[in-house]
Amino acid sequence: EAGVAQSPRYKIIEKRQSVAFWCNPISGHATLYWYQQILGQGPKLLIQFQNNGVVDDSQLPKDRFSAERLKGVDSTLKIQPAKLEDSAVYLCASSLQGANGELFFGEGSRLTVL
Amino acid sequence: AQSVAQPEDQVNVAEGNPLTVKCTYSVSGNPYLFWYVQYPNRGLQFLLKYITGDNLVKGSYGFEAEFNKSQTSFHLKKPSALVSDSALYFCAVRDSQTGANNLFFGTGTRLTVIP
């Protein structure tokens, strides 16, 4: 079974530039999550989708971050403009609908903002 | 509000010795508790979870964890550590009263098993 796919694995940009990350969840997983993991911290939820609808985006900095999951399958997370403090690993995860917390994570996209 | 505390940033243990990685939590309702492991440059991998039932849960790679409601703890244990167990371990909690299935993670504990 294919896992959660993410790209790119690494990205280096200047502050105020934009960046986009892509995620393809496990086939059949209705729920998709984007987490931000800053070095030395635990992952923090940015946004959760159920199919193509947003369940929770309370921690998403909406002035610069956006995410979409138009067809209820893959998803993109965009940052525009990027700030130094956005340097982190962006983790995508998916789960079956109604699953009690067993999330399947991708390998992450590491962003460095200079 | 929900929170998770992992009081130790680093745990060192000799190969073959038992290991414990500590976790305490706070939720409004009943907790759903999880342990995930992260190897270098990899995503998080699910180890085990407690939802209901037996307080001792067994998971992947010989790990187990004990739910203690009175102490609000969910410590991760393994009887005999392997060098390959060296990794970053995250405890996570979900409040059963919330509708969303998202997890709140602790800050992680780095386990080093010394040969």
Side-chain angles (χ1 to χ4, degrees):
Chain A
E1 176 182 271
V4 176
Q6 290 189 246
S7 67
R9 289 292 312 276
Y10 305 93
K11 189 73 176 180
I12 301 174
I13 61 173
E14 302 278 339
K15 60 183 179 183
R16 290 187 290 274
Q17 287 186 324
S18 63
V19 63
F21 301 112
W22 173 83
C23 172
N24 191 359
I26 292 173
S27 177
H29 282 194
T31 310
L32 185 147
Y33 316 75
W34 283 102
Y35 282 83
Q36 180 192 56
Q37 186 177 14
I38 294 173
L39 187 64
Q41 300 181 18
K44 182 186 79 172
L45 180 72
L46 292 175
I47 189 167
Q48 177 184 348
F49 292 94
Q50 182 77 12
N51 297 307
N52 60 349
V54 175
V55 174
D56 183 354
D57 64 355
S58 57
Q59 299 298 308
L60 188 73
K62 298 179 184 65
D63 57 334
R64 298 183 300 105
F65 285 66
S66 64
E68 60 183 14
R69 193 185 185 199
L70 294 176
K71 297 183 179 179
V73 181
D74 55 355
S75 175
T76 55
L77 175 71
K78 297 179 181 178
I79 308 174
Q80 181 180 12
K83 293 185 174 182
L84 297 177
E85 59 261 36
D86 298 332
S87 294
V89 177
Y90 291 87
L91 296 167
C92 180
S94 68
S95 70
L96 292 168
Q97 183 172 348
N100 283 325
E102 185 170 350
L103 276 58
F104 294 81
F105 284 84
E107 294 187 331
S109 294
R110 182 179 298 274
L111 173 66
T112 302
V113 182
L114 302 176
Chain B
Q2 51 196 350
S3 66
V4 173
Q6 293 183 244
E8 301 158 318
D9 291 336
Q10 174 82 41
V11 170
N12 297 325
V13 63
E15 186 177 23
N17 282 3
L19 68 87
T20 299
V21 182
K22 296 179 180 177
C23 172
T24 59
Y25 66 90
S26 174
V27 295
S28 301
N30 291 321
Y32 294 165
L33 294 156
F34 308 85
W35 278 100
Y36 282 78
V37 61
Q38 186 174 36
Y39 297 100
N41 298 314
R42 303 297 299 274
L44 280 73
Q45 297 178 33
F46 171 80
L47 274 181
L48 50 80
K49 66 181 178 183
Y50 170 83
I51 302 298
T52 186
D54 194 349
N55 289 345
L56 183 66
V57 293
K58 295 185 183 296
S60 306
Y61 312 121
F63 284 93
E64 59 187 29
E66 185 166 13
F67 170 61
N68 188 316
K69 188 173 183 178
S70 62
Q71 297 185 3
T72 62
S73 67
F74 190 58
H75 300 331
L76 181 70
K77 299 182 179 183
K78 187 173 181 180
S80 179
L82 300 173
V83 174
S84 57
D85 293 330
S86 298
L88 190 56
Y89 290 81
F90 289 96
C91 182
V93 67
R94 175 195 161 199
D95 191 330
S96 62
Q97 291 187 342
T98 66
N101 187 35
N102 72 67
L103 304 181
F104 189 88
F105 286 86
T107 54
T109 298
R110 185 166 300 282
L111 173 68
T112 300
V113 181
I114 303 164

